[in-house]
Amino acid sequence: MKNNNLLEIKDLHVSAGEKEILHGVNLTVGKDETHVLMGPNGTGKSTLGYAITGNPEYTVTSGEIIFDGENITDLPVNERANKGIFLSFQNPLEVPGVTLSAFIRSALEQKTGSRLRLWDFKKKLSETMKLLSMDESYAERDLNVGFSGGEKKKAEILQMLMLEPKLAILDETDSGLDVDAVRTVSNGVRLYRERVKGSLLIITHSTRILEALTVDETHVMENGVIVKNGDASLVGEINENGFGNI
């Protein structure tokens, strides 16, 4: 029987330094699905995103991360990225001396293992920036340096649309954005789902970014474990009643 699971997390325990943050997380994301991870602050939601992508500051002490049928628990960050895992940060880093365009082109070449024709790359980059209502001059600016919060988030969504990962993890991508920026970012996320058919794991407090999306499953994390799973209606319940009454 063909396995339609893209991501399988089995009894995952994760520590940062001496402190265990995740205490046995189980989560399955199917191919071509949108999942939402919610929960109070400090419960380990971002830690799960970092663990999936292989951030070396977080140590998996037991459990497994299976991606597209392969155990990636011990793989380094770059190999996981090349296999199609993307993480949009809550606070994107500034990288002086590397333009947004050069950064995306380098990431694409690492993923494909071959050189890209500059003309083809620039054409696709220009088209994608237009979809995000993004000023094309940002392509030749240093990555995130002097970008507003909204432009940083747009730059991350631009990377996602260009790299076409199998799994995109969005960590509080809508935090601190005004209504127009949220709408633009939401549109970019919707385009990713429609065009790439990749799966999404959206870590969020707010549900504004979800309004343009069809949510397949919702998960609630508390104190380093997932305490409840449900469909899209669970998002509405949380909005109405908070986390304490679900």
Side-chain angles (χ1 to χ4, degrees), residues 22 37 44-55 87 169 201 203:
L22 301 183
L37 179 63
K45 302 186 300 298
S46 294
T47 297
L48 179 60
Y50 290 136
I52 294 167
T53 53
N55 186 317
L87 173 65
I169 303 167
L201 177 60
I203 301 168

Side-chain angles (χ1 to χ4, degrees), residues 82 98-116 121 163:
N82 289 344
V98 178
T99 66
L100 174 59
S101 173
F103 180 81
I104 295 175
R105 190 179 180 204
S106 173
L108 269 170
E109 288 180 342
Q110 282 188 12
K111 182 183 174 187
T112 60
S114 60
R115 297 282 292 169
L116 296 174
F121 168 74
L163 290 168

Side-chain angles (χ1 to χ4, degrees), residues 59-240:
T59 304
V60 174
T61 53
S62 67
E64 291 182 329
I65 303 169
I66 310 293
F67 182 69
D68 214 6
E70 179 184 354
N71 189 331
I72 63 164
T73 313
D74 298 321
L75 287 185
V77 175
N78 62 317
E79 290 187 33
R80 298 189 200 202
N82 289 344
K83 289 182 183 297
I85 300 176
F86 175 88
L87 173 65
S88 170
F89 294 99
Q90 188 171 344
N91 298 299
L93 296 173
E94 296 186 2
V95 186
V98 178
T99 66
L100 174 59
S101 173
F103 180 81
I104 295 175
R105 190 179 180 204
S106 173
L108 269 170
E109 288 180 342
Q110 282 188 12
K111 182 183 174 187
T112 60
S114 60
R115 297 282 292 169
L116 296 174
R117 288 178 58 190
L118 185 59
W119 169 255
D120 293 340
F121 168 74
K122 289 207 162 183
K123 184 169 181 282
K124 184 179 179 184
L125 184 67
S126 174
E127 289 169 353
T128 310
M129 291 184 86
K130 282 193 177 83
L131 291 172
L132 293 172
S133 306
M134 198 171 180
D135 186 330
E136 288 188 45
S137 68
Y138 278 82
E140 301 311 320
R141 287 177 58 178
D142 287 359
L143 180 61
N144 292 327
V145 176
F147 288 24
S148 68
E151 295 298 345
K152 285 181 179 179
K153 299 298 174 76
K154 284 184 189 179
E156 295 247 295
I157 300 301
L158 175 67
Q159 292 166 44
M160 180 179 75
L161 289 172
M162 291 291 292
L163 290 168
E164 300 185 345
K166 294 177 184 176
L167 172 68
I169 303 167
L170 307 183
D171 186 7
E172 303 285 359
T173 298
D174 51 351
S175 68
L177 300 185
D178 63 30
V179 174
D180 289 338
V182 169
R183 193 174 294 123
T184 302
V185 167
S186 297
N187 189 44
V189 174
R190 180 182 57 77
L191 286 170
Y192 164 75
R193 286 289 289 121
E194 289 175 358
R195 294 178 173 208
V196 181
K197 305 292 186 191
S199 294
L200 276 174
L201 177 60
I202 301 175
I203 301 168
T204 187
H205 288 103
S206 160
T207 54
R208 295 183 302 167
I209 196 171
L210 306 176
E211 289 169 7
L213 298 170
T214 300
V215 173
D216 295 293
E217 288 193 42
T218 306
H219 314 277
V220 179
M221 180 177 277
E222 288 186 10
N223 300 318
V225 292
I226 290 176
V227 295
K228 186 160 186 176
N229 300 288
D231 57 17
S233 66
L234 184 53
V235 174
E237 282 182 48
I238 292 166
N239 276 344
E240 201 168 316

